Amino acid sequence: MKTVLVATAAAAALVFAGNALAAYTPHLSITHTPLTLAGGGSTDLTVSFDQADDATAKVTIYVPQGYTAAPSVAPGMQLGTIDASIIAFAISPTQPLPLKGVIQADDPAKYVMNPCSPGMHESVWLLRLQAAGTELAVPGYVDPVTAPTEAPLGSFKLQFCLPSPYIPPSAGGAMLGAKLVSATLHLSNVFALPDQNGSYGWTALTTPYTVGTGTPNAAGTVQARAFVQLPAQLSLKAKVKKKTATLSGALKLNLAGLAGQKVTLLSGSSRTKLKAAGSATTRAGGAFSFRKTVRKATYFRVRVSVPVRAATCTGGVPGIPCAGATANAFTAQSAVVKVTPKKR
């Protein structure tokens, strides 16, 4: 079976080498929960590529200044999970395969001779993915930024080196001829957010392979950016006139109102049993309002779930083309407000 897979991967490499597309469009998005100043919790980091893009050789992600990272953890400890999608030329050259796995800390001393990123690293994250009964293990190198030229990009950097799907595993190529399409790292309590409001730009520098080879195409390096604005704040207050309650509030991101977002109103007879009771779209300044009839004491809360949005690609690495930028997705909810009808 191994011989068949290697031969198939090599044949697929020749086919794709003959159809070099020279296309390369990385995307980066970052989501934090909760999106609060100095918050911890979870971080979802997604890097993705168009399915027809050239295969990726290396990804370097810069974590903005203002973030802090958890101390190094012992090898074997789990840092989170990963969802990924690949094109496996050896078994499914046109249909992406979904993969799942875990992210574990590993011993940095095991990777000092890695030719893609040699030397001793502060931490190593091992992405352990399962595909067709085969483990695809990808190390990630985590280091504080020390070079003055890199300091404007961030306080930490994450480096991931991927084997080429265009050459057989016996020559150092990827198992199953795997080419990355997307990967989302679900990290738990790894990063603490900045303690001041603002817009914080993450940067991903990505380098493709020269199609049909195991040689990185340095001239094809591009960047993608992802902006995290914080904090996210959703307020709610109530005014009651007899049995009519006017509920109003505002959605703010980085202290500025955010318009055009759907806010869901929840209500119920207790603080812990709330159900959807309507929705409204935020106006200029992030304002929204509801009018509800209340015949007894009722509890209200509002929630919002904002998706990833397109952003303008500014900053980053001078002289490197930018494939695009995103603004962070986030969820937020207000405090619970109790409304009691007034007697006539």
Side-chain angles (χ1 to χ4, degrees):
M1 177 62 72
K2 181 177 179 181
T3 302
V4 171
L5 291 179
V6 169
T8 306
L14 292 175
V15 171
F16 278 83
N19 296 304
L21 300 178
Y24 199 57
T25 51
H27 311 277
L28 177 68
S29 65
I30 307 293
T31 302
H32 298 296
T33 304
L35 191 62
T36 57
L37 297 179
S42 65
T43 297
D44 286 353
L45 185 162
T46 299
V47 178
S48 62
F49 305 85
D50 290 349
Q51 184 175 327
D53 280 1
D54 299 343
T56 297
K58 185 174 182 179
V59 178
T60 301
I61 299 172
Y62 290 91
V63 183
Q65 296 285 354
Y67 281 78
T68 56
S72 299
V73 295
M77 288 192 64
Q78 185 169 324
L79 301 169
T81 60
I82 179 171
D83 290 293
S85 176
I86 65 168
I87 291 292
F89 289 155
I91 57 177
S92 180
T94 59
Q95 181 64 40
L97 299 178
L99 310 179
K100 290 185 177 294
V102 298
I103 305 169
Q104 290 181 327
D106 206 355
D107 181 4
K110 294 164 56 177
Y111 300 90
V112 294
M113 300 304 293
N114 187 298
C116 177
S117 183
M120 192 69 175
H121 297 280
E122 181 79 12
S123 301
V124 172
W125 297 351
L126 191 61
L127 314 183
R128 302 183 62 184
L129 291 155
Q130 300 296 321
T134 300
E135 180 173 274
L136 305 179
V138 179
Y141 310 111
V142 185
D143 296 288
V145 170
T146 56
T149 54
E150 292 181 295
L153 296 174
S155 54
F156 301 90
K157 64 180 177 181
L158 320 174
Q159 300 178 80
F160 299 92
C161 302
L162 304 173
S164 173
Y166 303 123
I167 60 176
S170 58
M175 291 296 296
L176 306 180
K179 183 184 82 166
L180 179 67
V181 176
S182 68
T184 298
L185 279 60
H186 307 286
L187 302 167
S188 179
N189 298 312
V190 170
F191 295 112
L193 276 63
D195 58 9
Q196 297 184 9
N197 70 283
S199 180
Y200 296 85
W202 293 60
T203 304
L205 280 179
T206 65
T207 301
Y209 279 105
T210 299
V211 176
T213 76
T215 304
N217 175 16
T221 299
V222 296
Q223 64 180 317
R225 307 213 70 206
F227 294 94
V228 173
Q229 296 179 299
L230 73 152
Q233 300 166 308
L234 188 60
S235 61
L236 181 67
K237 62 183 180 180
K239 290 184 178 180
V240 183
K241 185 175 182 181
K242 297 181 180 179
K243 294 184 178 181
T244 300
T246 301
L247 301 146
S248 62
L251 172 62
K252 293 188 177 183
L253 187 62
N254 186 19
L255 307 185
L258 186 61
Q261 303 302 319
K262 179 183 176 181
V263 175
T264 299
L265 178 69
L266 307 174
S267 68
S269 58
S270 74
R271 291 178 177 271
T272 58
K273 295 181 179 180
L274 303 177
K275 296 182 180 181
S279 64
T281 301
T282 56
R283 307 183 298 273
F288 61 87
S289 62
F290 300 89
R291 288 173 64 88
K292 291 292 181 180
T293 299
V294 290
R295 294 181 172 83
K296 60 180 181 179
T298 305
Y299 295 88
F300 293 95
R301 161 176 270 169
V302 285
R303 289 179 180 169
V304 66
S305 181
V306 178
V308 173
R309 293 144 290 145
T312 301
C313 193
T314 57
V317 184
I320 300 294
C322 184
T326 62
N328 60 298
F330 67 91
T331 58
Q333 65 180 10
S334 72
V336 174
V337 173
K338 182 180 180 180
V339 174
T340 303
K342 294 184 177 181
K343 296 182 180 179
R344 295 182 181 272

